[in-house]
Amino acid sequence: MQDALTKITDTLSAVRVMARSGLIPFPRVDEGVGVLLAVSKYGPFAGSVHARAAHGHGRVAIIDERGPLTYRQLEEQSNALVRAWQAEGIGVGSCVGAMCRNHRGLILTMLAAAKSGVRLVMMNTGFARPQLVDVAAREGVHHFVFDSEFADIADALPSDVTPFLSWVDQAPPTPPAETPPRTLDALIAGQSTEPVPAPKDHGVFILLTSGTTGTPKGAPRGRTSPFVTAQFLDRIPLRPKQTMLMTAPAFHGTGISQLGLGLALENTVVMQRRFDPETTVHLLAEHHADTMVLVPTMLQRIIDLGPEVLSKYDTSSLKVIFAAGSAIAPDLSIRTQQAFGKALYNFYGSTEVAAVTIATPDDLERAPGTAGRVPATCHIALIDDDGNKITEPDVVGRIFAKSGLSFEGYTDGRDKQRIDGMLSTGDVGHFDRDGLLFVDGRDDDMIVSGGENVYPLEVENLITERPDVLEAAVIGVEDNEFGHRLRAFVVPAASSARDASEIRTHVKSNLARYKVPRDVIFIEELPRNATGKLLRRVLIEMEVEPE
């Protein structure tokens, strides 16, 4: 009974949010109904494009390095690709892998997969050959779409995997006896662009976990309710017919969720294929973008450009900086507001759960670094070691959450821990007295030093507050006396004196003695994967000479 009431309440909340944001357009309710019908037919991603193309507005859907494509062109070209795939025997039940940067080839592949009922595995562009082979074998990939720059990596796949090129910087090398891979453009040419019948089963996107400690796991995303868009729109003012700059990789949960939402809102999405901080600001100004979607490491590099560079560009159109994928340090929250005004929205979620909480600019102004509050249709609880819910403020517990986009389990049959229908995020955190969530770190990142528990994020945030520090990461290393001692890796600013004792003194002045890093190592950059996740294992295995 309680579950039924929750579903009704969530649905009513979602409808209100969607109406307020313009996704259910009044008085043109017919257009809203048309979108819902198209989503029911083709799924949320392809359904939105199909509906917008049918309206015949001629609005530009995406812009990449090859220029603009309207919603109608996206619809027609994806229809043609579906037919080309059908001629190859690719349809319901087939599994296609895609290793692409942000551009039309990836979008067309995603649309065609949805319309074909295909399982599409969204490969990380940072994969090495062994990771690609492992994931492709586990997921049963028999067709592979990739950019030419990844040809050497794609070559590791078995010979019975059919290759297709989605973007060509230069033709990949082909042995004389072999036929070069066909491009998506060549497949589409000559095919009918008329609408295709809906598949008997919706296509499924397989998102991959970050894989910072091993081979990434597959988290499927299949049929979902259109009402799940409310979890993004409730606390973030995304609106119809705006311009969105997609800087985050679209193969990851952050990028794909906002790309899908942008298309549902009939936005024009500017696709950035390779990240460069000043190029990003240039694109933002050139296209008068309302929204910029990125991961925190990208935001850090943009802010680090400094006022002299940022002031060269008119970014006054920017209303929303959507940042997700890893924690945002309090210092970065403050500096972002100084550079762009009250535009930063800190999205906290996971590949498995999707949305958990969102911090608005007001939240971040009052409590820099907070993960915010739950949006509509989402639920959260902090659980102690005995499995009980924590209701008091400032008490740390494991974070459990659920949303309309929560997954049903990994493709290999494994699952996350579940309590009362909620999934473990793998993080620990606490609420303050105002009900704002703070993520204190990963449960498995906790360091026990001298019998005391230390979460690295608290120490990292304190160190990065210093003007002479760009980034910091703290790990635990084995120690005969304390079990583990803290080691800090610091990326210094140009002005830094690289004084390890000064860093230790700074921490000692603000935190308990057992949280002071014994070792401070200065390095040029922190190891991260393609989505900006810190690779702590690389730091743990790194041979260094403490200063």
Side-chain angles (χ1 to χ4, degrees):
M1 181 66 176
Q2 185 60 45
D3 286 346
L5 289 175
T6 299
K7 288 180 180 179
I8 292 171
T9 302
D10 285 351
T11 300
L12 292 175
S13 297
V15 170
R16 284 195 294 269
V17 170
M18 293 166 72
R20 185 181 73 224
S21 65
L23 196 56
I24 301 177
F26 291 104
R28 293 303 307 272
V29 180
D30 59 315
E31 290 193 6
V33 171
V35 172
L36 292 177
L37 290 174
V39 166
S40 175
K41 186 176 182 181
Y42 295 114
F45 195 83
S48 296
V49 172
H50 177 79
R52 301 309 181 191
H55 294 156
H57 295 164
R59 183 169 175 81
V60 171
I62 65 168
I63 300 172
D64 64 11
E65 292 172 38
R66 291 175 57 183
L69 279 179
T70 66
Y71 278 86
R72 175 158 291 182
Q73 288 172 317
L74 270 187
E75 169 72 2
E76 291 177 346
Q77 291 186 25
S78 60
N79 290 340
L81 184 55
V82 169
R83 290 190 168 86
W85 278 1
Q86 288 172 342
E88 300 282 332
I90 302 173
V92 174
S94 299
C95 188
V96 177
M99 192 172 187
C100 312
R101 296 197 186 274
N102 291 2
H103 54 71
R104 66 186 62 197
L106 177 58
I107 306 302
L108 290 170
T109 297
M110 294 163 71
L111 291 171
K115 293 178 180 181
S116 302
V118 159
R119 289 167 58 86
L120 180 65
V121 184
M122 308 291 283
M123 301 291 187
N124 192 315
T125 57
F127 273 179
R129 289 163 65 97
Q131 286 179 301
L132 175 62
V133 170
D134 287 349
V135 171
R138 185 189 67 212
E139 303 298 339
V141 170
H142 290 291
H143 313 275
F144 193 59
V145 180
F146 63 99
D147 295 354
S148 63
E149 66 176 291
F150 305 122
D152 288 344
I153 298 169
D155 186 57
L157 294 172
S159 59
D160 61 350
V161 174
T162 309
F164 302 111
L165 279 173
S166 51
W167 187 276
V168 180
D169 283 317
Q170 58 183 20
T174 305
E178 295 184 14
T179 304
R182 288 164 293 170
T183 65
L184 296 186
D185 287 343
L187 288 174
I188 289 169
Q191 296 287 345
S192 170
T193 61
E194 292 299 310
V196 295
K200 64 178 183 179
D201 294 315
H202 280 190
V204 176
F205 291 170
I206 307 295
L207 304 184
L208 300 177
T209 59
S210 297
T212 55
T213 57
T215 299
K217 297 182 285 293
R221 286 287 183 270
R223 182 181 291 272
T224 58
S225 166
F227 296 126
V228 298
T229 55
Q231 61 190 238
F232 301 106
L233 297 171
D234 184 27
R235 309 203 80 219
I236 306 176
L238 303 173
R239 294 296 182 262
K241 295 181 173 62
Q242 292 185 332
T243 298
M244 174 182 288
L245 176 57
M246 181 55 61
T247 298
F251 65 77
H252 189 253
T254 298
I256 196 172
S257 66
Q258 297 316 290
L259 174 61
L261 185 55
L263 295 175
L265 289 166
E266 207 171 354
N267 279 196
T268 294
V269 182
V270 181
M271 307 292 288
Q272 187 174 8
R273 197 160 61 94
R274 285 190 176 87
F275 175 72
D276 172 80
E278 187 167 358
T279 300
T280 301
V281 182
H282 172 79
L283 288 171
L284 179 65
E286 178 186 0
H287 296 283
H288 307 288
D290 304 270
T291 304
M292 178 168 59
V293 181
L294 37 57
V295 299
T297 52
M298 294 174 173
L299 179 60
Q300 178 78 54
R301 290 184 61 191
I302 290 171
I303 299 303
D304 285 343
L305 290 172
E308 289 188 6
V309 175
L310 293 177
S311 63
K312 295 192 302 183
Y313 301 94
D314 179 6
T315 60
S316 59
S317 62
L318 186 63
K319 303 177 183 68
V320 172
I321 300 173
F322 183 103
S326 58
I328 294 180
D331 179 65
L332 182 56
S333 296
I334 295 168
R335 294 175 64 205
T336 300
Q337 185 166 125
Q338 292 170 346
F340 293 106
K342 297 176 71 169
L344 178 60
Y345 291 79
N346 180 16
F347 177 90
Y348 169 54
S350 73
T351 302
E352 298 85 354
V353 178
V356 179
T357 57
I358 297 170
T360 66
D362 287 339
D363 294 334
L364 292 167
E365 184 175 43
R366 186 166 74 252
T370 180
R373 306 177 193 275
V374 290
T377 76
C378 296
H379 305 271
I380 187 174
L382 298 184
I383 306 295
D384 65 20
D385 291 338
D386 296 321
N388 301 313
K389 289 185 179 180
I390 296 171
T391 57
E392 301 85 2
D394 301 319
V395 178
V396 175
R398 293 178 297 148
I399 301 173
F400 283 72
K402 68 176 179 180
S403 74
L405 279 172
S406 297
F407 84 148
E408 298 298 325
Y410 297 113
T411 54
D412 63 4
R414 288 182 289 175
D415 199 0
K416 299 283 283 186
Q417 183 184 2
R418 296 176 186 262
I419 296 178
D420 294 335
M422 291 184 288
L423 287 164
S424 167
T425 64
D427 295 321
V428 294
H430 69 276
F431 290 109
D432 70 4
R433 296 188 179 278
D434 294 324
L436 291 171
L437 177 70
F438 290 80
V439 179
D440 296 305
R442 296 290 297 172
D443 192 15
D444 53 8
D445 285 343
M446 186 182 74
I447 303 165
V448 180
S449 180
E452 301 286 355
N453 296 342
V454 181
Y455 288 103
L457 188 60
E458 180 184 21
V459 186
E460 292 164 358
N461 286 342
L462 179 64
I463 294 174
T464 55
E465 286 179 1
R466 294 176 56 90
D468 59 348
V469 172
L470 297 180
E471 291 186 287
V474 174
I475 62 171
V477 295
E478 292 186 3
D479 184 90
N480 291 333
E481 182 179 359
F482 295 98
H484 286 86
R485 69 179 185 275
L486 272 60
R487 174 174 292 169
F489 289 85
V490 175
V491 179
S495 60
S496 174
R498 297 183 178 231
D499 187 332
S501 62
E502 190 174 317
I503 298 290
R504 286 191 288 267
T505 299
H506 176 68
V507 177
K508 186 177 179 179
S509 299
N510 290 276
L511 296 177
R513 183 182 297 272
Y514 62 85
K515 296 181 181 180
V516 178
R518 182 92 61 85
D519 309 328
V520 176
I521 312 298
F522 292 99
I523 58 177
E524 294 306 311
E525 63 178 359
L526 297 177
R528 296 183 183 275
N529 65 13
T531 59
K533 295 282 189 181
L534 176 66
L535 301 175
R536 293 187 188 273
R537 175 58 56 188
V538 175
L539 295 176
I540 291 171
E541 296 174 351
M542 188 180 295
E543 294 185 6
V544 298
E545 289 293 331
E547 299 190 19

